[in-house]
Amino acid sequence: MAVVPALDPRPGEHVLDLCAAPGGKATDIARRLGGQGVLVANEPHPIRVRTLVENLERAGAPAIVTQALPHQLAAAVGVRFDAILVDAPCSGEGMFRKDPEARRQWQASSPASCARRQREILACALSMLRPGGRLVYSTCTFNPLENEQIVAWALDSFPVILEAIPLWPGWEPGRPAWVGDPDLTRRFAADIAHTRRLWPHKGVGEGHFVARFRLLQELPDGAGDRPVRRSEWRAARRHSSPSANLAEWRRAFAEWIDAGQVPAPWHEPLWRGPHAYAAPDTELLVRLEQARIRIHRPGLWLASQERGRLEPQHALAMAIPPHLAKQTAPLDEELAVQYLSGAPLPDLGQRGRTLVHLAGWPLGWGNGISGRTNNLYPKGLRRTDLLPLRGEKT
């Protein structure tokens, strides 16, 4: 998780997490953006991207979720992002201690094969970065082929510099002597010392490597093509065939949320069939659609049209602090465990959609009716193995 403070995403920025599954780093980026700016969370693998979507919605993290190879995404969006995270696929040597599967999958050819792929990914990522933008490259391997040598290659091939990352406890500088090539070692030894290694025998964690680049100028022969005209993205919005008109949306939204304190995209959602999303960058979505990039989520999933009426989605409940909900109900630990298991709750004194929470942390929606509160926690997230922590030392 140290790569996200190394990237330092700031409210209002356009940020790309290029290899985002399972989503822990993407949720932290979304938290740091604070609802201002744009987060694109991309994952090429069709199975892993589903986990990414689930985890982002579980955390209420607003993001555009795409499934594309790096070169496909670069060709679609061009130069666009202020900050990019490349947590690159690697040989996984740093995970051997805790993950037997990582040990079984490793082969003698793995580091060199991964290094070739990492160079391709890094080149695509840099082509999407704005001049002056930041890119954090990280791996969970010890191998210099995938770490210091990749960084030296990037310094030699692109108009980038390395910026120092704090020496957090247990971290050490990268090893210039491991660059391998004498000429690159001589030229970039001082820069390589700005990279960071985490050693599992010296700190709390496994084996990781982190480097932060800054792009000095736009790359030649960039991947971007012509700009999208406003008439095109307006046409795309019309083509989305909204299932509810704006007045209906505002009426329903006002029943659930104090609309005066939420981001602007929530007020005029983007519709995809019966589903409403807070789309942070409509022009970007048009580019992605024109390039036939698969979009799993065009933004935060707000609501859906069900049985002739609008119903709020779980992601919306998780995206807001409880005080913004029109109706809330606090739960103690026993009732929270009951709710997360999917069981109905007693009458909480509210009628209709109610955001239930534990000590100010949102849990999801309930529907208050006479005598009980129906449980609207998504079935796929329900847990029956939880116990209250009350009385335990934590």
Side-chain angles (χ1 to χ4, degrees), residues 100-114:
E101 184 60 27
R103 297 198 298 270
R104 284 192 293 268
Q105 291 183 357
W106 190 93
Q107 300 177 8
S109 61
S110 295
S113 174
C114 289

Side-chain angles (χ1 to χ4, degrees), residues 68-356:
L69 295 170
H71 72 274
Q72 295 171 328
L73 195 63
V77 306
V79 178
R80 193 168 200 95
F81 296 101
D82 303 295
I84 297 177
L85 172 59
V86 179
D87 188 34
C90 67
S91 59
E93 294 172 356
M95 310 303 288
F96 283 0
R97 181 174 66 170
K98 79 168 193 176
D99 187 356
E101 184 60 27
R103 297 198 298 270
R104 284 192 293 268
Q105 291 183 357
W106 190 93
Q107 300 177 8
S109 61
S110 295
S113 174
C114 289
R116 286 193 295 272
R117 180 167 54 175
Q118 289 154 0
R119 284 192 290 271
E120 295 171 357
I121 293 172
L122 192 51
C124 290
L126 286 169
S127 75
M128 293 183 275
L129 191 63
R130 291 171 174 158
R134 312 175 303 284
L135 185 147
V136 164
Y137 171 82
S138 62
T139 72
C140 55
T141 190
F142 299 119
N143 206 294
L145 279 174
E146 305 171 65
N147 295 330
E148 284 88 352
Q149 293 181 29
I150 289 290
V151 169
W153 167 82
L155 290 170
D156 188 47
S157 304
F158 302 98
V160 296
I161 59 172
L162 274 176
E163 296 184 326
I165 300 170
L167 278 171
W168 292 300
W171 291 69
E172 292 185 353
R175 304 292 181 90
W178 290 357
V179 170
D181 184 299
D183 178 58
L184 295 181
T185 302
R186 176 183 56 81
R187 292 164 55 199
F188 299 125
D191 301 275
I192 297 298
H194 290 324
T195 66
R196 298 291 180 252
R197 280 182 172 270
L198 173 63
W199 300 101
H201 62 294
K202 295 185 176 183
V204 179
E206 303 302 320
H208 298 279
F209 176 86
V210 185
R212 184 169 70 189
F213 295 97
R214 188 171 293 276
L215 184 65
L216 299 180
Q217 63 190 58
E218 187 171 329
L219 301 187
D221 301 319
D225 54 5
R226 66 176 179 83
V228 176
R229 294 189 296 270
R230 292 183 64 84
S231 60
E232 291 177 317
W233 65 259
R234 284 173 178 162
R237 288 185 71 97
R238 290 195 299 270
H239 183 66
S240 65
S241 301
S243 298
N245 61 40
L246 192 57
E248 181 184 356
W249 165 255
R250 288 174 175 168
R251 177 196 56 75
F253 195 52
E255 291 180 2
W256 315 323
I257 303 294
D258 181 355
Q261 301 186 56
V262 299
W266 296 24
H267 293 275
E268 191 173 349
L270 180 70
W271 288 89
R272 287 294 182 262
H275 308 299
Y277 299 91
D281 191 335
T282 312
E283 181 185 351
L284 175 58
L285 292 172
V286 172
R287 285 186 179 273
L288 296 170
E289 290 173 343
Q290 289 174 340
R292 300 186 182 277
I293 300 295
R294 184 165 185 186
I295 304 171
H296 286 262
R297 290 289 183 270
L300 182 71
W301 193 5
L302 299 174
S304 295
Q305 190 85 277
E306 299 176 10
R307 297 181 295 277
R309 60 171 289 141
L310 284 168
E311 301 288 354
Q313 281 292 331
H314 180 66
L316 174 61
M318 303 307 292
I320 59 171
H323 73 268
L324 292 186
K326 285 298 183 66
Q327 294 195 140
T328 63
L331 304 182
D332 59 23
E333 289 187 6
E334 287 80 5
L335 282 179
V337 168
Q338 186 175 328
Y339 175 78
L340 295 173
S341 74
L345 299 175
D347 193 331
L348 299 174
Q350 304 282 7
R351 296 294 178 265
R353 291 295 179 269
T354 302
L355 193 150
V356 298

